[in-house]
Amino acid sequence: MKITSVALISIGFVLHITAIPFAVANKSMSVEERLTLLENRLQQAETRASTAEQQNRELKAQIQQTQQLSKETQQATANLDERTKAIEINTPDDNGYFELHGYARSGMMTNQHAKHSQGGPFMTPAGQTGGAVGRLGNEPDTYVEVYLEKKQRLENGATTRFMTMIADQQKSYNDWTADSSTLNVSQVFAEIASLPSFTGPFKDTTLWAGKRVDRDNFETPWLDSKIVALNGTGGGIYDIRWSDNLRSNFSLIGRSFGDVDIVNNDIQNYILTANNYYGPVQFLFSGMKAKDNDERKTPNGINVYNAADKGYTTMLGYTGNSFYGLAAGETRSAISWGQGLGAEVKNIGSDPALLQDAKTVRLNSYGMVKLNNTWDFAPSLLAQYSADRYAKGDDYRWITLNGRFMQNITENFALAYETTWQYMDLDPNGYQDYQKVHGNYYKLTFAPTFRPNDISAFFTRPEIRLFATWMDWDKDLDNYSPNDTLGQYGFTSGGQWSFGIQMETFF
């Protein structure tokens, strides 16, 4: 029997501490019994020696793991230092610098008959009042936004920023598309911030003026639907800090509704907004006034009666740092209420056709959660009730449930799945010859997706997707209007397939 050096040391130690008692206590024992007892003790000593060797091997493995972790930590620290240096390079200096940002999506989509397929998040009859459905595999357009910014930090510590945004959207697949272009300069504004003479609650505020999309707009990404959008031309102030947890934004903006024949002038809707944040809670209030809106004429020359000339919108929102308190993740929820001109609670102050008695309540909620190392899940809920909106006695009710799953196969490849259900009960009460309808809409999308890395399951860009989408809806929805999407020739209930390829990016 082979005995290691550790075993020999152990055996020697055992013999040393047991030799005298063994000799004294066993004078009457036979030689065979003594040898048997000694062999048992030798086996016990060898067992303890083997255990000691195993513990020694485990200790060496732990030391190796610790050394490897130390190397990885040093590498991560080095990478962080490199990223920090890159960020510091972009810090505003006395000479200022330019930034280029953008968002774009573009793709081809066809149906099972090799014809151009209908689509879009607002394609259902509920879309007329903001009822969006899932956007994955449902976007037949090309859309692009380009942001140009000039920033500068002055010697006194103040900063300046100028930004302009150019956007275009169309459905043509051609390369030269000037005839169908909707090219637009949608933002042009200037900011000044960190003014050294501002103290107290105004110390770190930002002043702005011009034409812009409000800085704190936000949306449900998978429905391409704003939760709140405050856009127009005017001015305001951001980040008045009343305390460590309480801050406020204030703005006054204008929007144009169109010509009033009797005065030959644009109708302006002026919107005063207070947007307040207390920790994760947000409370927004917008009041608005549009003089002479009730004297406006429709495009076909008909006088508008009982159109609203004032209104208000309120919103209570909450941003959570967990998935509805059930798991690690994030959520964002909001409930909105509007009256009169404020009954358009998403694009605040943008709808001139609302009646004075119009009222709307809307609920938005979405979340993101990592289910395991492979699957991520992002559900969305969007629901709205609106009454006396465009005609006295009208009634619009709808709800959308959407879920997007990401199955992460490798760092550069994932499978995306999206399912949508929308129920709508719409009674326009004769407004523009729309018909009373109710029913369900369904959509399923499967999209193999390529990406440069897996930094974020839902927001890594650019992405290149192949997709197959199936959608169907109740036959009654084909009758809402001859001019909307559902019910068009070749696009009726009974099941529709779409196939395509799309890229999406932002930076």
Side-chain angles (χ1 to χ4, degrees), residues 241-456:
R241 294 198 173 272
W242 309 108
S243 67
D244 291 341
N245 293 322
L246 178 62
R247 65 181 177 89
S248 298
N249 305 334
F250 296 97
S251 66
L252 174 63
I253 63 172
R255 295 188 62 92
S256 298
F257 282 166
D259 290 336
V260 178
D261 291 347
I262 60 172
V263 294
N264 192 29
N265 193 14
D266 284 348
I267 297 174
Q268 307 295 338
N269 186 17
Y270 297 100
I271 307 162
L272 180 63
T273 299
N275 201 357
N276 307 285
Y277 296 83
Y278 185 79
V281 177
Q282 177 185 2
F283 177 71
L284 176 145
F285 180 85
S286 291
M288 60 203 74
K289 176 70 173 177
K291 183 175 173 56
D292 297 330
N293 187 47
D294 56 343
E295 299 179 15
R296 179 175 45 83
K297 291 181 180 294
T298 64
N300 56 6
I302 299 175
N303 289 323
V304 175
Y305 296 102
N306 200 30
D309 61 358
K310 59 181 178 296
Y312 66 88
T313 303
T314 64
M315 186 195 72
L316 180 64
Y318 180 81
T319 301
N321 56 6
S322 69
F323 183 72
Y324 299 104
L326 301 175
E330 60 181 275
T331 57
R332 175 165 268 180
S333 302
I335 185 167
S336 305
W337 167 264
Q339 179 80 30
L341 278 178
E344 173 47 64
V345 296
K346 182 181 72 169
N347 298 312
I348 296 177
S350 65
D351 191 342
L354 294 165
L355 301 184
Q356 192 64 54
D357 295 330
K359 49 188 174 292
T360 300
V361 60
R362 171 183 282 215
L363 175 64
N364 296 262
S365 186
Y366 72 84
M368 291 180 285
V369 62
K370 190 171 187 63
L371 300 176
N372 53 43
N373 290 333
T374 302
W375 289 91
D376 293 88
F377 176 48
S380 305
L381 166 67
L382 183 61
Q384 181 172 294
Y385 164 72
S386 188
D388 298 325
R389 188 176 179 95
Y390 301 121
K392 188 67 176 178
D394 66 12
D395 190 293
Y396 300 86
R397 308 175 189 219
W398 49 259
I399 181 171
T400 300
L401 293 176
N402 187 78
R404 185 178 293 193
F405 293 86
M406 293 297 291
Q407 183 182 6
N408 304 293
I409 307 301
T410 70
E411 179 182 7
N412 306 118
F413 181 71
L415 298 177
Y417 310 83
E418 186 173 87
T419 178
T420 298
W421 168 73
Q422 183 182 80
Y423 174 76
M424 62 205 86
D425 187 354
L426 312 175
D427 183 4
N429 198 25
Y431 178 70
Q432 293 190 355
D433 294 326
Y434 294 134
Q435 301 302 306
K436 181 179 179 180
V437 297
H438 70 276
N440 299 279
Y441 164 90
Y442 314 91
K443 183 183 82 74
L444 294 171
T445 296
F446 172 64
T449 302
F450 298 90
R451 59 194 183 189
N453 55 39
D454 59 354
I455 293 177
S456 168

Side-chain angles (χ1 to χ4, degrees), residues 115-130:
K115 294 182 179 181
H116 179 74
S117 181
Q118 303 294 326
F122 301 95
M123 63 181 293
T124 70
Q128 179 201 20
T129 53

